[in-house]
Amino acid sequence: MSDLIPTPQVAAPDILRCAYMELVVTDLAKSREFYVDILGLVVTEEDDNTVYLRAFEEFIHHNLVLKKGKVPAVSVFAFRVRSQEEVDKAEAYYTELGCETRRGSFSNGIHNAVRVVDPLGFPYEFFYEVDHVKRHAWSYDLQGAGALVRLDHFNQVYPDVVKGSAYLEDLGFKRTEDIRDDDGVIYAAWLTRKHTVHDTAMTGGAGPRMHHIAFSTHEKHNILYICDKLGALRRSDMIERGPGRHGVSNAFYLYLRDPDGHRVEIYTQDYYTGDPDNPLVSWDVHDNQRRDFWGHQVVPSWYTDASFVLDLDGEIQPVIEREEPKEIDVTIGADGFSYTRKDDMETGIKLGRQV
Amino acid sequence: MSDLIPTPQVAAPDILRCAYMELVVTDLAKSREFYVDILGLVVTEEDDNTVYLRAFEEFIHHNLVLKKGKVPAVSVFAFRVRSQEEVDKAEAYYTELGCETRRGSFSNGIHNAVRVVDPLGFPYEFFYEVDHVKRHAWSYDLQGAGALVRLDHFNQVYPDVVKGSAYLEDLGFKRTEDIRDDDGVIYAAWLTRKHTVHDTAMTGGAGPRMHHIAFSTHEKHNILYICDKLGALRRSDMIERGPGRHGVSNAFYLYLRDPDGHRVEIYTQDYYTGDPDNPLVSWDVHDNQRRDFWGHQVVPSWYTDASFVLDLDGEIQPVIEREEPKEIDVTIGADGFSYTRKDDMETGIKLGRQV
Amino acid sequence: MSDLIPTPQVAAPDILRCAYMELVVTDLAKSREFYVDILGLVVTEEDDNTVYLRAFEEFIHHNLVLKKGKVPAVSVFAFRVRSQEEVDKAEAYYTELGCETRRGSFSNGIHNAVRVVDPLGFPYEFFYEVDHVKRHAWSYDLQGAGALVRLDHFNQVYPDVVKGSAYLEDLGFKRTEDIRDDDGVIYAAWLTRKHTVHDTAMTGGAGPRMHHIAFSTHEKHNILYICDKLGALRRSDMIERGPGRHGVSNAFYLYLRDPDGHRVEIYTQDYYTGDPDNPLVSWDVHDNQRRDFWGHQVVPSWYTDASFVLDLDGEIQPVIEREEPKEIDVTIGADGFSYTRKDDMETGIKLGRQV
Amino acid sequence: MSDLIPTPQVAAPDILRCAYMELVVTDLAKSREFYVDILGLVVTEEDDNTVYLRAFEEFIHHNLVLKKGKVPAVSVFAFRVRSQEEVDKAEAYYTELGCETRRGSFSNGIHNAVRVVDPLGFPYEFFYEVDHVKRHAWSYDLQGAGALVRLDHFNQVYPDVVKGSAYLEDLGFKRTEDIRDDDGVIYAAWLTRKHTVHDTAMTGGAGPRMHHIAFSTHEKHNILYICDKLGALRRSDMIERGPGRHGVSNAFYLYLRDPDGHRVEIYTQDYYTGDPDNPLVSWDVHDNQRRDFWGHQVVPSWYTDASFVLDLDGEIQPVIEREEPKEIDVTIGADGFSYTRKDDMETGIKLGRQV
């Protein structure tokens, strides 16, 4: 593995933060019900084919675009940069990398952006110019019990995490945490621009695919409420994993699956990472508290399922399998059955340590 | 099944509430570490063989006794009655039922009680006279982030829930909720005296055994903190199930296993049940939100494991298996493997409805 | 003071709990906006002159009636009793006391009740027969971030607390807490039937008047949300006092004023009081943590303002002033100005102690 | 007013964040009790004259230094910069401004820093080199119910907010919010470097003085717990203001006074401000929800009291009064008495609007 992407000679753009994702959904009404009626995201604007959504504390036009289409997929991961000049730098950067780039306004409210298919195969957008909209930070009358207040991060699946992470670090991201084994294999890496644990993460697996998009709540009880609401609506089937405490990131989490199977994380309370010497935290892949600090094993679908990503023409990007080893928590017991909970094990789980 | 216990002619005692449990533990220091250092229960008094513990809002001498012994077991489920006269009524009640009864002070701080082995084989105590101790309701300086403020309930395992529940209803308990199937089989019943969902519950299974003892916190974040603390102490192996929201009782829950495997529930926020016509809530055993309102399947150990109970001489009570059907959430998939999570299923789970 | 009400020969009725209050409001639309749109109470039924409301966990027809009228007042404090026979006992009890009583159905959903003007001048109702309605305990989709889940208690203002409290204790209430001074003067008393700190309280002051009606939330953050929502709606003028922690009752509180000035408390987390020997907690009137455990002085309007109560014909009951001493937190500083915050004091506040 | 500080020709240093404050305290044992035993800050190291403290998620040596001395004061406000080169740039910047600067290691764990008395008279330090210590983000076993997890900001009092704010904006701070009147007078300004609402604020008043230092908790209940703990310890006199919701910053707050009267804010949940075009929020000084979103008036001491600051030789900096107008919430009623609560007013408070 790990035939690295070359580092361009030109400077990387000054990325501020992950800003929005565009999701292709097959039934816009069902998706709108999930993201607006159930999760309560704010509608900035919408028409028959597209819904533009944002979190309550956002002041830019949108954090999520739902676009009607035939196959569920992600058509772009968009990042905001510090100025329009930085958009040009992004274009030059990817041009040097030999990637296809396009300039234009691809989305309502956002102007003069650049889109690329990056060397890993992910569709990325970089933009600065954006319409400002009302920041509903103080609108508690509109915010429900499970209010999503910020877009926090993306998570991307790619077979070679070392390669993917090095490419993102060249692009100016800082690695805050990762998961490794004693042989130095990297299973996942968390990478940030703003002052949180990540703006995006690389999860080892068949890719390029999108693992999840994450929105923040203010507090943990807001996340518990979302579960209670789904239970009350008899939609608990939408809860894939959690709620729980992550080891990595120290955040409280919940994973949902939208009507097309796109995974959405609800997330709260990681830590400040803005100093240049912010300490890297590495977790042992055998540490059963790395993914769930309370030791619960991760449900297999969380490791295997992810969304396709598209190229700039809307075609599905081909997926490459990850070579072994894979990070997965299913253990085969002495009886030949698979067990997904620690208490069923014949023998104890080897406990790793945070290093 | 269901050869019912006869209803005595004499009046049942006026039971106030579940009051304390006596646990036999094999390593007193380890158990003390769990209940005092980790869970933070208040020590009323202790010696080399016994530790008397209470919750922060309690004003009677204890809610839990840890007693050093060779085999982990429960030596008594104790209930407080309204007066000393009611202790006499309890004695008469069980005498008429043909049960062995003993009078005396079996525990520090509690006087003039009666102990019996009840018709189901459980060791019960009824008492009124008790030493008052400081109620630490206002002692926030002593209460930690996961403060256990009240003893909430017991949970007993018994093969015939209809028989067990009818016996407890004769004794004056009111049924608030149960789990059934379309054939009228009862899988579990919740029974109360104080104004909450239960003082004790009957869970169908091999018994007589003790399923769990439950303490309350004020809020849900207190329960989440206990998980975080166990994670920080690298004792997440003590977390068996949860945290989550119960369907039955509507409470937020967490199940822990103490060093001897005794199960402790941490519990918060059920509802008022004090009116005589409080509506019974019956759940369909096929409703996957009955035990976890968020649809998570229950870990198998939670259905199978429970603690032995002792007779008045400290001998282990023999255990009778429950006949089929058993309530269990493991499903065998089309591939012959067992699955303990809904998302792995070949076919969807039949969703029941709260009736 | 304290010419006590005689104790009747006949038995007092077996009261379960405070059950509902009927408020006369001058602008039904405005009051509905406050109680339904802002506070989120559940509407059981309504017409042009009356709105019947309940808390989310309630299964009886209503906990609050808003009735259109010319002068803001309370037309009844209603208590539920254990059976229809107990309604008859209530009638006999008050007949012996020489009070006017009326039988009938005074309110939709409630049948065969008795209403009285009690010896203190308060309009009381006792009922058992009531229509059951859906208990929305599990309806998290309907419950908002500040969901009111139970009616917790009433609070009555009366000039002679000793007399009022003794009368209520005769009626079967148990005193759980009070406020006193070294001369034995009682300033307020908390009295309970269900297993909480109170179903009603007697606050010393000009009366008979209604001080407040209190609804419970599950957790403290639900109460904070109500404040945030009122702030967002630019209705912070409705917040009279709090949020804060009570010394008395140990509950977390907030006091609002409805459009007619009726006071509503939002309340959470007191403690279990169901044992007959539940220890009485007495607070020193000079203890500045008795009313607010964090030492904040109480705003003067909270001591002076209260709602009129009506007789059975809808006439306002005359109000008798309380003789000195009065409980009030304003202190006159050395400069002749009044100070309502401890930090302005020339000399420290005498700190009392919980006894 | 507003004779502005000239903008230097040389570049401003790249400031990361507010990093620590050094407080002179008169009784080190009492101050240690407050900051360590009550508030639970982590001790990095200490000796007879100095205690070095940090928040739980911090990885640099300290966020607060307590230094024994004769007069309570602040000896430094310290900011971390991006590299050692930026320390040199800070030195050059203040040299050009004609300020006295000193190089050295003024504090354990921090190396090669520069200290200055800035043009407003405040002692500032800029540093990069610092010893790393354990980040206790995951140490839930050590974190109490009121755990302070980050240093959030400083707040400085100065008579001319326009002048002070312009100087800080030259230094690279971004203004996120302010308080104004219709005449364009600025009463206070919030200024940030990291991605929160502020690293420091300018509050109009007699200065240079230190208004407060603020630490963050994860959630609001952590702040409520601190109040409950102070109540339990009978130290509610330490609570000056709050808890409440700020209008400005949207954060939940509490103000405490340490044994020397230094003010400490406990703070949680403001919003992301990292984009260069983050919208400025301006509040009307007549808007009674600007300082407390729930409309509670601010206690007078909060406007008048603040700590002295020292020059580099440890001498108290002279204090200059602010000219009128002053921001203060006390209103003189028709009766000639001052009122500090809205409900006592003869006339309503003019409600301003967030613009």
Side-chain angles (χ1 to χ4, degrees):
Chain A
M1 300 214 294
S2 297
D3 196 21
L4 297 184
I5 310 291
T7 306
Q9 303 276 333
V10 300
D14 186 352
I15 297 169
L16 295 168
R17 53 166 172 142
C18 63
Y20 81 91
M21 184 181 280
E22 191 174 282
L23 285 178
V24 180
V25 300
T26 57
D27 184 328
L28 191 59
K30 268 196 188 170
S31 293
R32 192 189 188 287
E33 185 196 17
F34 177 74
Y35 288 102
V36 178
D37 299 336
I38 295 179
L39 291 185
L41 286 170
V42 179
V43 180
T44 300
E45 60 174 307
E46 61 186 321
D47 60 31
D48 287 354
N49 293 301
T50 320
V51 184
Y52 294 91
L53 301 168
R54 68 185 193 275
F56 279 98
E57 293 181 359
E58 187 55 80
F59 71 94
I60 66 170
H61 188 268
H62 58 260
N63 301 126
L64 182 65
V65 183
L66 306 178
K67 208 166 196 165
K68 207 169 155 178
K70 289 192 178 152
V71 180
V74 174
S75 45
V76 85
F77 300 76
F79 297 88
R80 194 169 190 218
V81 294
R82 189 167 297 278
S83 66
Q84 197 53 38
E85 186 177 51
E86 302 296 331
V87 177
D88 299 337
K89 283 162 81 173
E91 187 176 16
Y93 190 89
Y94 283 99
T95 300
E96 183 176 337
L97 282 171
C99 300
E100 187 192 353
T101 67
R102 293 188 193 170
R103 285 298 285 259
S105 294
F106 306 96
S107 177
N108 284 10
I110 289 176
H111 315 286
N112 207 359
V114 64
R115 282 197 175 182
V116 307
V117 173
D118 80 2
L120 309 182
F122 290 96
Y124 267 27
E125 177 178 306
F126 301 89
F127 72 95
Y128 172 70
E129 289 178 17
V130 63
D131 295 352
H132 284 209
V133 289
K134 183 172 168 59
R135 174 175 247 163
H136 279 299
W138 289 265
S139 304
Y140 293 102
D141 50 331
L142 305 181
Q143 293 179 26
L148 304 183
V149 297
R150 308 186 198 178
L151 170 66
D152 192 83
H153 63 263
F154 306 142
N155 188 308
Q156 307 171 243
V157 189
Y158 190 69
D160 185 339
V161 174
V162 169
K163 182 179 178 175
S165 181
Y167 150 69
L168 287 169
E169 290 175 72
D170 279 348
L171 192 56
F173 287 86
K174 182 170 58 190
R175 194 193 303 194
T176 57
E177 303 205 21
D178 58 26
I179 293 177
R180 310 172 175 211
D181 65 19
D182 294 341
D183 301 326
V185 177
I186 306 288
Y187 292 80
W190 284 257
L191 298 134
T192 198
R193 285 294 306 176
K194 67 182 181 313
H195 295 165
T196 62
V197 170
H198 52 323
D199 283 279
T200 193
M202 277 281 148
T203 295
R209 292 186 299 161
M210 187 278 287
H211 193 272
H212 64 263
I213 177 173
F215 289 93
S216 301
T217 62
H218 277 135
E219 302 197 333
K220 297 184 291 289
H221 65 81
N222 301 115
I223 292 183
L224 301 180
Y225 173 80
I226 293 170
C227 297
D228 287 338
K229 184 176 180 181
L230 287 167
L233 293 169
R234 287 284 166 179
R235 296 308 305 266
S236 61
D237 58 299
M238 288 183 155
I239 303 175
E240 181 188 38
R241 178 186 160 203
R245 169 78 64 189
H246 282 308
V248 173
S249 82
N250 200 29
F252 193 77
Y253 71 88
L254 170 71
Y255 291 98
L256 305 176
R257 300 295 289 272
D258 86 359
D260 283 296
H262 296 307
R263 187 181 287 107
V264 178
E265 182 178 13
I266 319 295
Y267 182 94
T268 195
Q269 290 167 33
D270 57 9
Y271 54 90
Y272 169 81
T273 62
D275 284 15
D277 54 346
N278 179 71
L280 173 68
V281 177
S282 289
W283 296 78
D284 184 335
V285 73
H286 301 297
D287 181 349
N288 74 332
Q289 293 188 194
R290 75 197 183 289
R291 292 252 180 221
D292 184 281
F293 197 58
W294 306 337
H296 292 312
Q297 293 231 7
V298 175
V299 58
S301 65
W302 192 90
Y303 283 121
T304 57
D305 297 1
S307 299
F308 289 120
V309 301
L310 304 181
D311 67 18
L312 300 187
D313 296 315
E315 298 301 313
I316 290 174
Q317 289 285 78
V319 169
I320 303 157
E321 287 294 322
R322 176 174 165 95
E323 298 168 30
E324 299 295 343
K326 290 181 186 171
E327 181 191 5
I328 195 138
D329 288 353
V330 171
T331 301
I332 305 301
D335 54 1
F337 282 84
S338 63
Y339 291 100
T340 57
R341 278 284 312 195
K342 62 182 177 293
D343 52 285
D344 306 331
M345 297 297 160
E346 293 293 310
T347 57
I349 291 162
K350 179 188 162 201
L351 282 184
R353 293 281 155 190
Q354 182 192 331
V355 297
Chain B
M1 299 214 297
S2 298
D3 196 19
L4 297 183
I5 310 291
T7 304
Q9 304 276 334
V10 300
D14 185 354
I15 296 170
L16 295 169
R17 54 165 171 144
C18 64
Y20 80 91
M21 183 180 281
E22 190 174 282
L23 286 178
V24 180
V25 300
T26 57
D27 184 327
L28 191 60
K30 269 196 187 169
S31 293
R32 193 189 188 285
E33 184 195 17
F34 177 74
Y35 289 102
V36 179
D37 300 336
I38 295 179
L39 290 185
L41 286 170
V42 179
V43 179
T44 300
E45 60 174 305
E46 61 186 321
D47 60 31
D48 287 352
N49 293 302
T50 320
V51 183
Y52 294 92
L53 300 169
R54 69 185 192 274
F56 278 97
E57 294 181 0
E58 187 55 81
F59 71 93
I60 66 169
H61 190 269
H62 57 260
N63 301 126
L64 181 65
V65 182
L66 307 177
K67 207 166 197 166
K68 208 168 154 179
K70 288 192 180 153
V71 180
V74 173
S75 46
V76 85
F77 300 75
F79 297 88
R80 195 167 189 218
V81 294
R82 190 168 295 279
S83 66
Q84 197 53 39
E85 188 177 49
E86 301 296 330
V87 177
D88 299 336
K89 283 162 81 173
E91 187 175 17
Y93 190 87
Y94 283 99
T95 299
E96 182 174 337
L97 282 171
C99 300
E100 186 191 355
T101 67
R102 294 189 193 169
R103 285 299 285 258
S105 294
F106 305 97
S107 176
N108 284 11
I110 290 176
H111 315 285
N112 207 359
V114 63
R115 283 197 174 182
V116 307
V117 173
D118 81 3
L120 310 182
F122 290 96
Y124 267 28
E125 176 177 306
F126 301 90
F127 72 93
Y128 172 71
E129 289 179 16
V130 61
D131 295 352
H132 284 207
V133 289
K134 182 174 170 57
R135 175 174 246 163
H136 279 299
W138 290 266
S139 304
Y140 293 101
D141 50 330
L142 305 181
Q143 292 179 26
L148 305 182
V149 296
R150 308 187 198 177
L151 171 66
D152 191 84
H153 63 264
F154 306 142
N155 189 306
Q156 305 172 245
V157 189
Y158 189 69
D160 186 339
V161 173
V162 169
K163 181 178 178 176
S165 180
Y167 150 69
L168 286 169
E169 290 175 72
D170 278 349
L171 192 57
F173 287 86
K174 181 170 59 189
R175 195 194 301 195
T176 56
E177 305 204 22
D178 58 26
I179 293 176
R180 310 173 177 213
D181 65 20
D182 294 341
D183 300 327
V185 177
I186 307 286
Y187 293 79
W190 283 258
L191 299 135
T192 197
R193 287 293 307 177
K194 66 182 182 313
H195 295 166
T196 62
V197 170
H198 52 323
D199 284 278
T200 193
M202 277 282 150
T203 295
R209 291 186 301 162
M210 186 278 286
H211 193 272
H212 63 262
I213 178 173
F215 290 92
S216 301
T217 62
H218 277 135
E219 303 197 333
K220 296 185 290 293
H221 65 79
N222 302 115
I223 291 182
L224 301 180
Y225 174 79
I226 293 170
C227 297
D228 286 338
K229 184 176 179 181
L230 287 167
L233 293 169
R234 287 284 164 179
R235 296 307 307 267
S236 62
D237 58 299
M238 287 181 156
I239 301 175
E240 182 187 37
R241 180 186 159 203
R245 169 77 64 191
H246 282 308
V248 174
S249 83
N250 201 29
F252 192 78
Y253 71 86
L254 170 71
Y255 291 98
L256 305 177
R257 301 294 290 271
D258 87 356
D260 283 296
H262 296 306
R263 186 179 290 106
V264 179
E265 182 177 13
I266 319 295
Y267 182 95
T268 195
Q269 290 167 33
D270 57 9
Y271 55 90
Y272 169 80
T273 62
D275 284 15
D277 54 347
N278 179 71
L280 173 67
V281 177
S282 289
W283 296 78
D284 184 335
V285 72
H286 301 297
D287 180 350
N288 75 331
Q289 293 188 191
R290 75 197 183 290
R291 292 251 180 221
D292 184 281
F293 197 59
W294 306 337
H296 292 312
Q297 292 230 8
V298 176
V299 59
S301 65
W302 191 89
Y303 282 120
T304 56
D305 297 2
S307 299
F308 289 120
V309 300
L310 304 182
D311 68 16
L312 301 186
D313 296 316
E315 298 300 313
I316 290 175
Q317 289 284 78
V319 169
I320 303 155
E321 288 294 321
R322 176 173 166 95
E323 298 168 31
E324 298 297 342
K326 291 180 186 172
E327 180 192 7
I328 195 137
D329 287 354
V330 171
T331 301
I332 305 301
D335 54 1
F337 282 83
S338 63
Y339 292 101
T340 56
R341 278 284 312 196
K342 61 182 180 291
D343 53 287
D344 306 332
M345 298 294 162
E346 293 294 308
T347 57
I349 291 162
K350 179 189 162 200
L351 281 185
R353 293 281 155 190
Q354 182 192 331
V355 297
Chain C
M1 298 214 298
S2 297
D3 196 19
L4 296 184
I5 310 290
T7 305
Q9 303 275 334
V10 301
D14 185 353
I15 297 170
L16 295 168
R17 53 165 172 143
C18 64
Y20 80 90
M21 183 180 281
E22 192 174 279
L23 286 179
V24 180
V25 300
T26 58
D27 184 327
L28 191 59
K30 267 196 188 169
S31 293
R32 193 190 187 284
E33 184 196 18
F34 177 73
Y35 288 103
V36 179
D37 299 335
I38 295 178
L39 291 185
L41 286 169
V42 179
V43 179
T44 299
E45 60 174 305
E46 60 186 322
D47 60 31
D48 287 352
N49 293 301
T50 321
V51 183
Y52 294 92
L53 301 169
R54 69 185 193 275
F56 279 98
E57 294 181 0
E58 187 55 81
F59 70 94
I60 66 169
H61 189 269
H62 56 260
N63 301 126
L64 182 66
V65 183
L66 306 178
K67 208 166 197 165
K68 210 169 153 178
K70 288 191 180 154
V71 180
V74 173
S75 46
V76 84
F77 300 75
F79 297 88
R80 194 168 191 218
V81 295
R82 189 168 296 279
S83 65
Q84 198 53 38
E85 187 177 50
E86 302 295 331
V87 177
D88 299 337
K89 283 162 81 173
E91 187 175 17
Y93 190 88
Y94 283 99
T95 299
E96 182 175 337
L97 282 170
C99 300
E100 185 192 355
T101 66
R102 294 190 192 168
R103 285 299 285 259
S105 294
F106 306 96
S107 175
N108 283 11
I110 290 176
H111 315 285
N112 208 358
V114 64
R115 282 196 175 183
V116 307
V117 173
D118 80 2
L120 310 182
F122 290 97
Y124 267 27
E125 176 178 307
F126 301 89
F127 72 93
Y128 171 72
E129 289 179 16
V130 62
D131 295 352
H132 284 207
V133 289
K134 183 172 170 59
R135 175 175 247 164
H136 279 299
W138 289 265
S139 304
Y140 293 102
D141 50 331
L142 304 180
Q143 292 179 26
L148 304 183
V149 296
R150 309 186 198 178
L151 170 66
D152 192 83
H153 63 265
F154 306 142
N155 189 308
Q156 306 171 242
V157 190
Y158 191 68
D160 185 339
V161 175
V162 169
K163 182 179 178 175
S165 180
Y167 150 68
L168 287 169
E169 290 174 72
D170 278 348
L171 192 56
F173 287 85
K174 181 170 61 189
R175 193 194 302 194
T176 56
E177 304 204 21
D178 58 26
I179 294 177
R180 311 172 176 213
D181 65 19
D182 294 341
D183 300 327
V185 177
I186 306 288
Y187 293 79
W190 284 257
L191 298 134
T192 198
R193 286 294 306 176
K194 67 180 182 314
H195 295 166
T196 61
V197 170
H198 52 324
D199 283 278
T200 193
M202 277 283 149
T203 296
R209 291 186 301 161
M210 187 278 287
H211 194 271
H212 64 263
I213 178 172
F215 290 93
S216 301
T217 63
H218 278 134
E219 301 197 334
K220 297 185 290 291
H221 64 81
N222 302 114
I223 292 182
L224 301 181
Y225 174 79
I226 293 170
C227 298
D228 286 338
K229 184 176 179 181
L230 287 167
L233 294 168
R234 287 284 164 179
R235 297 306 307 265
S236 61
D237 58 300
M238 288 181 155
I239 302 175
E240 182 187 37
R241 178 185 161 204
R245 169 78 64 191
H246 282 309
V248 173
S249 83
N250 200 29
F252 193 78
Y253 72 86
L254 170 71
Y255 291 98
L256 305 177
R257 300 295 288 272
D258 87 357
D260 283 296
H262 297 307
R263 186 180 289 107
V264 179
E265 181 178 14
I266 319 294
Y267 183 93
T268 195
Q269 290 167 33
D270 58 9
Y271 55 90
Y272 168 82
T273 62
D275 284 15
D277 54 347
N278 179 70
L280 173 67
V281 177
S282 290
W283 296 78
D284 184 335
V285 74
H286 301 298
D287 180 351
N288 74 332
Q289 294 189 192
R290 75 196 184 290
R291 292 254 180 218
D292 183 281
F293 197 58
W294 307 337
H296 293 311
Q297 293 230 7
V298 176
V299 57
S301 65
W302 192 90
Y303 283 120
T304 56
D305 296 3
S307 299
F308 290 120
V309 301
L310 305 181
D311 68 18
L312 301 187
D313 296 316
E315 298 301 313
I316 290 175
Q317 289 284 79
V319 169
I320 303 155
E321 288 293 321
R322 177 174 166 95
E323 298 168 30
E324 299 295 343
K326 292 180 185 172
E327 180 192 7
I328 195 136
D329 287 353
V330 172
T331 302
I332 306 301
D335 54 1
F337 282 83
S338 63
Y339 291 101
T340 57
R341 277 285 311 195
K342 61 182 178 293
D343 53 286
D344 306 331
M345 298 294 160
E346 294 293 309
T347 57
I349 291 162
K350 179 189 162 201
L351 282 184
R353 294 281 155 189
Q354 182 192 329
V355 298
Chain D
M1 298 215 296
S2 297
D3 197 20
L4 297 183
I5 309 291
T7 306
Q9 303 275 335
V10 301
D14 186 353
I15 297 170
L16 295 168
R17 54 165 171 142
C18 65
Y20 81 91
M21 184 181 281
E22 191 175 281
L23 285 178
V24 180
V25 300
T26 57
D27 184 327
L28 191 59
K30 268 196 186 170
S31 294
R32 193 190 188 284
E33 185 196 16
F34 177 73
Y35 288 102
V36 178
D37 299 336
I38 295 180
L39 291 185
L41 286 170
V42 179
V43 179
T44 300
E45 60 175 307
E46 61 186 321
D47 59 31
D48 287 354
N49 293 301
T50 320
V51 183
Y52 294 92
L53 300 169
R54 68 185 193 274
F56 278 98
E57 294 181 359
E58 187 56 80
F59 71 94
I60 65 169
H61 189 269
H62 57 261
N63 301 125
L64 182 65
V65 182
L66 307 177
K67 209 166 196 165
K68 208 169 155 178
K70 287 190 180 154
V71 179
V74 174
S75 45
V76 85
F77 300 76
F79 296 89
R80 195 170 189 218
V81 294
R82 189 169 295 278
S83 66
Q84 198 53 38
E85 187 177 49
E86 301 296 330
V87 178
D88 299 336
K89 283 161 80 174
E91 187 175 17
Y93 190 88
Y94 283 98
T95 300
E96 183 176 337
L97 282 169
C99 300
E100 186 193 355
T101 67
R102 293 189 193 169
R103 286 299 285 259
S105 294
F106 306 97
S107 176
N108 283 10
I110 289 176
H111 314 286
N112 207 359
V114 63
R115 284 196 174 183
V116 306
V117 174
D118 80 2
L120 310 182
F122 291 97
Y124 266 29
E125 177 179 307
F126 301 90
F127 71 93
Y128 172 70
E129 289 179 16
V130 62
D131 295 352
H132 285 208
V133 289
K134 182 173 170 58
R135 174 175 247 163
H136 279 299
W138 289 265
S139 304
Y140 293 101
D141 50 331
L142 305 182
Q143 292 179 26
L148 304 182
V149 297
R150 308 186 198 177
L151 171 65
D152 192 83
H153 63 265
F154 306 141
N155 189 307
Q156 306 172 244
V157 189
Y158 190 69
D160 186 339
V161 173
V162 169
K163 182 178 177 177
S165 180
Y167 150 69
L168 286 169
E169 291 174 70
D170 278 349
L171 193 56
F173 287 85
K174 183 170 57 190
R175 194 193 303 195
T176 57
E177 304 204 20
D178 58 26
I179 294 176
R180 310 172 176 212
D181 65 20
D182 295 340
D183 301 326
V185 177
I186 306 288
Y187 293 79
W190 283 257
L191 298 135
T192 197
R193 285 294 307 175
K194 67 182 181 316
H195 295 166
T196 62
V197 170
H198 52 324
D199 283 280
T200 193
M202 277 282 149
T203 295
R209 291 185 301 161
M210 186 278 286
H211 193 272
H212 63 264
I213 178 173
F215 289 93
S216 300
T217 62
H218 278 135
E219 302 197 333
K220 297 185 289 292
H221 65 80
N222 302 115
I223 291 182
L224 302 180
Y225 173 79
I226 293 171
C227 297
D228 287 337
K229 183 176 179 180
L230 287 167
L233 293 169
R234 286 285 164 179
R235 296 307 306 266
S236 62
D237 58 299
M238 287 181 157
I239 302 175
E240 182 188 36
R241 178 186 160 203
R245 169 78 64 190
H246 282 308
V248 173
S249 83
N250 200 29
F252 192 78
Y253 71 86
L254 170 71
Y255 291 97
L256 305 176
R257 301 295 290 270
D258 87 357
D260 283 296
H262 296 307
R263 186 180 290 106
V264 179
E265 182 177 12
I266 319 294
Y267 184 94
T268 196
Q269 290 168 33
D270 57 10
Y271 55 90
Y272 168 81
T273 62
D275 284 15
D277 54 346
N278 179 71
L280 173 68
V281 177
S282 288
W283 297 78
D284 184 335
V285 74
H286 301 297
D287 180 349
N288 75 331
Q289 294 188 193
R290 74 196 185 289
R291 292 254 180 219
D292 184 281
F293 197 59
W294 307 338
H296 292 312
Q297 292 229 10
V298 176
V299 59
S301 65
W302 192 90
Y303 282 120
T304 55
D305 296 2
S307 298
F308 289 120
V309 302
L310 304 182
D311 67 17
L312 301 186
D313 296 315
E315 298 301 313
I316 290 174
Q317 289 285 79
V319 168
I320 304 156
E321 286 295 321
R322 176 175 167 94
E323 298 168 30
E324 299 296 343
K326 291 180 187 173
E327 180 192 6
I328 194 137
D329 287 354
V330 171
T331 301
I332 305 301
D335 54 1
F337 281 84
S338 63
Y339 290 101
T340 58
R341 277 285 311 195
K342 61 181 178 293
D343 53 286
D344 305 333
M345 297 296 160
E346 292 294 309
T347 57
I349 290 162
K350 178 188 164 202
L351 280 184
R353 292 283 155 189
Q354 183 191 329
V355 298

